[in-house]
Amino acid sequence: MTQINKLKIFNDPIYGFITIPNELVYDLIQHPYFQRLRRISQMGLSYLVYPGANHTRFHHALGCMHLMKKAIDTLRFKDVVISEDEENALLIAILLHDIGHGPFSHAMEKSIVEDVHHEAISLLFMNQLNEEFDGRLSLAIQVFKGEYHRKFMLQLISSQLDMDRMDYLKRDSFYTGVAEGNVNSERLIQMMNVENDVLVIEEKGIYSVEKFLLSRRLMYWQAYLHKTSLVAELILMKVLKRAKELTLKGVKLPCSEPLMYFMQNKITLEDFDAEKLDLFSQLDDFDIISALKAWQKHNDFILSTLSKMIINRDLLKIKLSAEKIPMEESQSLKEEFAEAHQISAVDAGYFIFRGKIKNQAYSKEAEPIRILKKDKTIEDVVEASDQLNLKSLSKLVTKYYICFPKQLI
């Protein structure tokens, strides 16, 4: 039997060449659970706004692993001791941090796999892989869950300045063309250090942190919460909700077997055994898109109309406001639409609905980004910064929206 060379190289448009560090990581990347991420879009339906935003969670996971390797090398250079086992655990934990995402994940979490967060499913996948790989992921799982005694390791994976955010901001900015999101991850990583077991940024890196937080805020308004991508995701949630409602009433809808299973059954986190996890691992964006294509021709007015909206990018109108939108406004629109299409006011709620979005670039409640000053004292970045805009970046901004069909304008 010929020996496979497992130390392969990926060519990444953001960082250049990314090297697979060892055979275990190669085998994890080759696993069907991970290969599925090639079929899960990183930015959901944002390609309806930014045509280039077709990159996948597979890209993103490899980018995160690459940045983690850079962070480990930087910290070692600054005399932070990280053993080979710890290095492996960090690389594996960040590589698999998003493995539990479903197709168009946020829409899925609120309609098909109800109230089961993708991070919980990521952990289920990790535990399953740990069994298959004879316990070699145990330390990675411990770090991922925050149960490892070295606190800074979890901060590299999940915090307000982690490898995940550094990669997705840079990558999403590149693929959307939204230049404001382009963060200097190289510089940020070079400024990292560990003091008293917590991750800190050296004082001279403070402007890079400010730019990072500002980029995050701008990317949320311009890309992630862009009103067209927002309304597209909301319509998708309504389609899936309607499809589940019809299925539970006994209506047979054309779709893939794994999707049908999750529509027919209410699955909670406790229900996720190995068999259901395997079914979930067969779901990707293609299941949803092909279902939408089939549902366009269904005789249910709500299902077919909403499906066509996404397939043909002929979406509902969305209006944003700083003030709360009065209930009477949506109520009168619902009555008008219900009458025009001979449907009930409840069913009109699939086309006319209100809600709110929030954006906070930096949270004072969460673990702070710590700045290590020259005199070795540590300060929260908001206190250390001489920029007034950092205080405003930690303010929670709420916007209200109402969605309704264009013909009602």
Side-chain angles (χ1 to χ4, degrees), residues 303-322:
L303 188 71
S304 61
T305 309
L306 293 174
S307 297
K308 278 180 202 151
M309 283 181 182
I310 296 175
I311 295 295
N312 303 322
R313 199 195 176 279
D314 187 10
L315 306 168
L316 294 169
K317 184 86 180 146
I318 182 167
K319 197 169 80 178
L320 289 176
S321 163

Side-chain angles (χ1 to χ4, degrees), residues 257-259 261-262 274-283:
E257 276 182 44
L259 183 56
Y261 179 84
F262 284 99
E275 186 192 344
K276 291 182 186 62
L277 194 63
D278 191 58
L279 270 168
F280 184 84
S281 76
Q282 292 169 46
L283 277 177

Side-chain angles (χ1 to χ4, degrees), residues 257-360:
E257 276 182 44
L259 183 56
M260 178 55 73
Y261 179 84
F262 284 99
M263 288 203 306
Q264 284 174 337
N265 299 281
K266 186 171 169 58
I267 306 294
T268 63
L269 189 56
E270 289 69 42
D271 300 325
F272 255 102
D273 54 22
E275 186 192 344
K276 291 182 186 62
L277 194 63
D278 191 58
L279 270 168
F280 184 84
S281 76
Q282 292 169 46
L283 277 177
D284 56 47
D285 289 7
F286 295 93
D287 295 77
I288 304 291
I289 296 294
S290 54
L292 291 176
K293 284 168 72 179
W295 296 344
Q296 291 179 102
K297 296 179 175 62
H298 199 271
N299 58 14
D300 180 73
F301 171 73
I302 298 169
L303 188 71
S304 61
T305 309
L306 293 174
S307 297
K308 278 180 202 151
M309 283 181 182
I310 296 175
I311 295 295
N312 303 322
R313 199 195 176 279
D314 187 10
L315 306 168
L316 294 169
K317 184 86 180 146
I318 182 167
K319 197 169 80 178
L320 289 176
S321 163
E323 306 298 318
K324 206 166 183 176
I325 293 157
M327 201 174 185
E328 301 79 59
E329 190 176 335
S330 61
Q331 206 49 47
S332 63
L333 287 172
K334 275 183 201 172
E335 285 163 14
E336 191 185 327
F337 188 78
E339 200 177 323
H341 293 277
Q342 298 298 293
I343 58 173
S344 70
V346 173
D347 285 350
Y350 275 100
F351 299 90
I352 296 133
F353 45 89
R354 301 171 307 143
K356 62 183 175 184
I357 47 173
K358 293 175 179 178
N359 186 1
Q360 188 177 25

Side-chain angles (χ1 to χ4, degrees), residues 347-397:
D347 285 350
Y350 275 100
F351 299 90
I352 296 133
F353 45 89
R354 301 171 307 143
K356 62 183 175 184
I357 47 173
K358 293 175 179 178
N359 186 1
Q360 188 177 25
Y362 182 71
S363 168
K364 284 181 166 177
E365 278 70 62
E367 177 103 27
I369 296 174
R370 296 177 177 90
I371 302 295
L372 178 66
K373 306 194 81 169
K374 289 187 177 69
D375 62 4
K376 290 292 181 197
T377 58
I378 294 172
E379 259 188 321
D380 185 326
V381 67
V382 173
E383 309 309 320
S385 167
D386 56 5
Q387 294 286 321
L388 289 171
N389 66 359
L390 269 206
K391 290 200 170 46
S392 63
L393 286 179
S394 54
K395 218 173 72 187
L396 182 68
V397 179

Side-chain angles (χ1 to χ4, degrees), residues 145-160:
K145 288 164 80 173
E147 291 172 359
Y148 193 57
H149 66 277
R150 304 190 76 184
K151 191 179 172 186
F152 77 89
M153 292 193 174
L154 176 65
Q155 291 172 286
L156 288 167
I157 295 161
S158 178
S159 67
Q160 297 204 72

Side-chain angles (χ1 to χ4, degrees), residues 3 41 68 89 96 133 138 178 233 243 317 320 362 370 381:
Q3 184 67 31
S41 159
M68 183 64 86
L96 303 180
F133 285 87
S138 297
V178 177
E233 188 170 289
K317 184 86 180 146
L320 289 176
Y362 182 71
R370 296 177 177 90
V381 67

